Amino acid sequence: MSWTDERVELLKKMWAEGQSASQIAKELGGVTRNAVIGKVHRLGLSNRTAPAGGAAPAAPAAPVKEAKPAAKETKAKPAPKADPAPAAEPARETATAVETRPAPLGPSRKPIVPAGQPLPPQPSANEISPEALAKVNEIEKKAKKLSLMDLTERTCKWPVGDPATDDFWFCGLPVQQGKPYCEAHVGVAFQPMSSRRDRRR
DNA sequence: CCCTGATTCGC
DNA sequence: GCGAATCAGG
């Protein structure tokens, strides 16, 4: 694919709209996001912030040797975007968060709890925020229900059911970045210590 | 891990 | 001019 006028135009338009390079690349087809970014630079519209003529914002006075031809400014624009990501519970899962339950993971743990035996303490309802709990019940229906062997690096490892039964599986939904669980389960797994204390009888 | 843009440099 | 590879950051 080549950069026809049409394609360049669409590129400009989308870039102006704040679309990401990958989105633009997907839309255009036949090009990667790298190609898009490269083109954007060559077109000289890398800095999505308005050029504003020669307005010179106080230079940081950096002892630089290389004199670049065009703009050198870095981050200046947050980019509006139509990102629907709300980040539900920012308060939750902070540095002071605690895991209410140990990761079931265990690279190799065969001996499971004998059937009918009392299960280890499950996160009980009184310890979890209603919303988080509701969310879990919601997504648990959509769970992939993976077996231990089916778990991968990026599948939610939240255990569901009685390990001593066939009715036992792992959530398996896409994990949250970094975490071992999906968004919903991260919500019940990690809680600020404060909220734990508060909920405490 | 997923993603973002920025830069480099052989083509 | 092009864009994959790489870098830097979230």
Side-chain angles (χ1 to χ4, degrees):
Chain A
M1 276 293 177
S2 59
W3 286 109
T4 63
D5 285 10
E6 280 182 32
R7 291 166 64 78
V8 171
E9 201 177 328
L10 181 55
L11 163 58
K12 285 179 178 174
K13 183 195 169 209
M14 293 183 74
W15 186 258
E17 286 174 0
Q19 302 282 296
S20 72
S22 61
Q23 286 178 308
I24 297 172
K26 201 197 307 171
E27 183 69 33
L28 287 171
V31 288
T32 65
R33 75 183 193 90
N34 277 311
V36 170
I37 291 172
K39 187 60 180 175
V40 161
H41 276 231
R42 264 169 259 126
L43 289 172
L45 36 71
S46 69
N47 193 346
R48 291 208 236 199
T49 308
V64 187
K65 288 176 159 274
E66 302 284 12
K68 277 298 180 174
K72 173 65 196 84
E73 271 84 316
T74 39
K75 314 299 173 167
K77 176 148 195 271
K81 245 176 195 154
D83 200 78
E89 282 84 349
R92 216 182 282 304
E93 72 174 274
T94 58
T96 59
V98 292
E99 205 168 348
T100 59
R101 153 202 292 246
L105 214 39
S108 58
R109 203 112 299 167
K110 286 192 218 72
I112 312 292
V113 183
Q117 285 305 114
L119 294 173
Q122 299 286 120
S124 43
N126 76 88
E127 278 189 277
I128 301 172
S129 70
E131 328 91 63
L133 197 63
K135 191 155 57 170
V136 166
N137 291 329
E138 259 303 313
I139 62 90
E140 228 158 66
K141 288 182 291 193
K142 297 174 185 171
K144 305 275 305 211
K145 303 195 176 185
L146 301 181
S147 76
L148 181 56
M149 301 97 69
D150 296 327
L151 290 176
T152 74
E153 303 292 321
R154 67 192 85 178
T155 56
C156 179
K157 298 163 189 63
W158 190 267
V160 179
D162 189 336
T165 314
D166 336 31
D167 186 37
F168 176 69
W169 35 269
F170 292 91
C171 175
L173 260 31
V175 295
Q176 189 115 67
Q177 282 190 330
K179 282 73 163 192
Y181 309 124
C182 67
E183 185 194 337
H185 285 134
V186 160
V188 298
F190 298 99
Q191 299 173 279
M193 299 215 311
S194 59
S195 74
R196 282 200 101 204
R197 190 191 304 111
D198 294 347
R199 233 181 328 276
R200 218 60 221 176
R201 59 191 122 279

